Amino acid sequence: MLVMVAFACFFGLKGFVGHDNIFFYNAFEDWPVLQNFHGFENTKDGTLYEPGYTFASILAKTVGMSFWQFQFLGSAIDAIILYHVFRREAPIFTLALIIYIAMGGMLLHLEQIRNQHGVVLFMYALKYVREKRPLPYLLICGFAICMHYTSVIYFVIYPFLAMELSKRTKIIIVVVCLLVFFLQIHYIDGFMSLMYKFSGPSIQDKIERYFRGELLVSNYVFSVRHVIMLMSVYFFIIAPEKFGLDKIDNTLQNVFLASVVTVFGFCELNVLENRLSQLFIVGIAALYPRMLVELPVKLYKQLIALVMIGYSFMRVGSAMKPYYFEYHTSFQVTKDGQQKKWDEYCRFVKMTTDEAHKVRATQTVKAKTLDQLKRDSK
């Protein structure tokens, strides 16, 4: 319980930390109280936020909450749900939480306020997949969609999560995704080009914006994260019986398989891979504690625990330097109210975000220009 209180305080008191939080703050200030609410509209910067997040913000503002109090309340609710999820899914609670934070939870809860609610709701709804009760699962995921539209994928994959795939099928899926990654197969561009050829002006306009996108770069860099994922594939898909997982939970195994597909299969589009892989981190976070409990050899337990905890601290530590600066600066901005510091802070957040994309992604220029695309469609 104390760990989750610390979790709620750390993420709930993040201030302006995270590039997106600046926009969320401005949107919160733009939204009316409930008495003056006349429908969901674009904010001043032209963004139309999800109805669930918008309405929750309006309710919070109506009862007198500031953006900071609303942000803390959201983190506290997430902490309560995560507490129940990991108590249910993982025999070693603290290890599951550490892996969850390292494999994407830190970025999720610092940067993406709306998305984090959708992910924790999905984690809670997994028990209904296991119980083969689609209605409550879909209702909870429907609420998650109202918080962030990426949660729509949870609707689509319900049959996959409930399915009992053979080991051979799972290995084939993994091999296909590895081929896409290591051979750097570009299939998303081809799919978009095909859609452009057969769609109307409205869809074509969106596809043109896709090809102009500044952040739509590829990420085929092989990192420690990919090593961890490949190691996990061997543990949980290829040879789980060697590690005491003879009766591995089918639902969690399918969630883990979905994370493998997103990490290796969507690297053509860095932003897509980052967003989708965060949706399924509960799989790897819950399976490692289960494996450590079942492993018969103590030395193996110690080695695997050391690798996972070491990687987790390395991953979190590498992210903490810019986040520490953001914490410190955002509290000073709030305290002093100085416009100059605020402008400097906004520039810093943008700079670190741009640099992160340069480091994480190879700057692959899309081969097909808009002119070529238009010529091909004729």
Side-chain angles (χ1 to χ4, degrees), residues 225-238:
R225 179 192 182 203
H226 295 97
V227 174
I228 295 293
M229 291 299 292
L230 288 176
M231 181 177 73
S232 305
V233 165
Y234 182 73
F235 291 155
F236 305 133
I237 293 179
I238 297 175

Side-chain angles (χ1 to χ4, degrees), residues 128 132-139 158:
Y128 298 114
K132 300 190 184 303
R133 296 170 60 191
L135 184 58
Y137 170 85
L138 295 175
L139 286 174
Y158 174 79

Side-chain angles (χ1 to χ4, degrees), residues 89-102:
E89 301 289 352
I92 307 175
F93 176 88
T94 306
L95 178 60
L97 184 64
I98 290 172
I99 296 174
Y100 170 79
I101 291 173

Side-chain angles (χ1 to χ4, degrees), residues 226-285:
H226 295 97
V227 174
I228 295 293
M229 291 299 292
L230 288 176
M231 181 177 73
S232 305
V233 165
Y234 182 73
F235 291 155
F236 305 133
I237 293 179
I238 297 175
E241 63 281 352
K242 292 184 179 180
F243 302 94
L245 296 172
D246 300 322
K247 298 180 180 178
I248 188 170
D249 183 83
N250 182 69
T251 302
L252 285 178
Q253 193 180 38
N254 286 347
V255 173
F256 170 69
L257 182 59
S259 72
V260 173
V261 171
T262 57
V263 169
F264 289 101
F266 292 93
C267 292
E268 182 183 347
L269 194 55
N270 186 49
V271 66
L272 185 63
E273 184 265 327
N274 281 334
R275 292 283 180 152
L276 293 184
S277 62
Q278 291 171 354
L279 300 180
F280 304 108
I281 47 180
V282 62
I284 194 170

Side-chain angles (χ1 to χ4, degrees), residues 29-311:
E29 294 298 305
D30 289 345
W31 283 319
V33 294
L34 192 58
Q35 298 90 316
N36 300 326
F37 176 65
H38 301 296
F40 299 103
E41 299 176 350
N42 291 3
T43 55
K44 289 180 181 178
D45 65 359
T47 304
L48 181 63
Y49 288 92
E50 291 83 356
Y53 179 77
T54 302
F55 194 68
S57 302
I58 290 171
L59 285 179
K61 198 170 180 179
T62 302
V63 299
M65 281 188 179
S66 67
F67 176 71
W68 316 115
Q69 293 168 325
F70 174 62
Q71 189 170 249
F72 180 80
L73 177 64
S75 293
I77 293 172
D78 287 342
I80 293 170
I81 297 175
L82 284 172
Y83 175 78
H84 287 286
V85 167
F86 286 132
R87 284 290 299 271
R88 181 188 74 210
E89 301 289 352
I92 307 175
F93 176 88
T94 306
L95 178 60
L97 184 64
I98 290 172
I99 296 174
Y100 170 79
I101 291 173
M103 296 303 291
M106 184 171 183
L107 177 65
L108 187 69
H109 290 273
L110 281 176
E111 296 274 0
Q112 300 160 11
I113 295 178
R114 299 168 296 150
N115 203 7
Q116 70 186 36
H117 301 316
V119 171
V120 297
L121 285 170
F122 165 71
M123 292 166 66
Y124 182 79
L126 278 177
K127 69 175 185 176
Y128 298 114
V129 178
R130 194 175 288 118
E131 296 169 2
K132 300 190 184 303
R133 296 170 60 191
L135 184 58
Y137 170 85
L138 295 175
L139 286 174
I140 293 173
C141 291
F143 183 60
I145 293 171
C146 293
M147 302 306 292
H148 198 275
Y149 289 137
T150 56
S151 296
V152 73
I153 195 171
Y154 296 140
F155 260 75
V156 178
I157 68 165
Y158 174 79
F160 169 76
L161 295 178
M163 202 178 293
E164 293 193 11
L165 300 171
S166 67
K167 179 189 288 191
R168 182 181 178 183
T169 302
K170 293 172 183 176
I171 292 175
I172 290 172
I173 293 172
V174 171
V175 169
V176 170
C177 292
L178 291 178
L179 288 174
V180 168
F181 179 81
F182 287 109
L183 298 181
Q184 301 187 13
I185 298 172
H186 287 246
Y187 65 93
I188 297 178
D189 277 2
F191 177 73
M192 289 293 183
S193 301
L194 190 64
M195 281 185 62
Y196 189 92
K197 187 173 182 179
F198 295 103
S199 8
S202 176
I203 301 297
Q204 286 183 344
D205 179 63
K206 290 181 174 61
I207 294 173
E208 286 180 15
R209 281 189 286 170
Y210 161 80
F211 279 98
R212 291 193 201 101
E214 295 176 0
L215 299 180
L216 302 180
V217 292
S218 301
N219 181 16
Y220 292 104
V221 178
F222 190 73
S223 64
V224 179
R225 179 192 182 203
H226 295 97
V227 174
I228 295 293
M229 291 299 292
L230 288 176
M231 181 177 73
S232 305
V233 165
Y234 182 73
F235 291 155
F236 305 133
I237 293 179
I238 297 175
E241 63 281 352
K242 292 184 179 180
F243 302 94
L245 296 172
D246 300 322
K247 298 180 180 178
I248 188 170
D249 183 83
N250 182 69
T251 302
L252 285 178
Q253 193 180 38
N254 286 347
V255 173
F256 170 69
L257 182 59
S259 72
V260 173
V261 171
T262 57
V263 169
F264 289 101
F266 292 93
C267 292
E268 182 183 347
L269 194 55
N270 186 49
V271 66
L272 185 63
E273 184 265 327
N274 281 334
R275 292 283 180 152
L276 293 184
S277 62
Q278 291 171 354
L279 300 180
F280 304 108
I281 47 180
V282 62
I284 194 170
L287 284 172
Y288 267 105
R290 291 188 177 207
M291 184 179 72
L292 290 182
V293 169
E294 298 295 335
L295 266 176
V297 183
K298 187 177 181 180
L299 179 61
Y300 290 167
K301 290 185 179 184
Q302 293 170 339
L303 286 174
I304 293 172
L306 185 63
V307 168
M308 291 308 299
I309 293 174
Y311 170 72

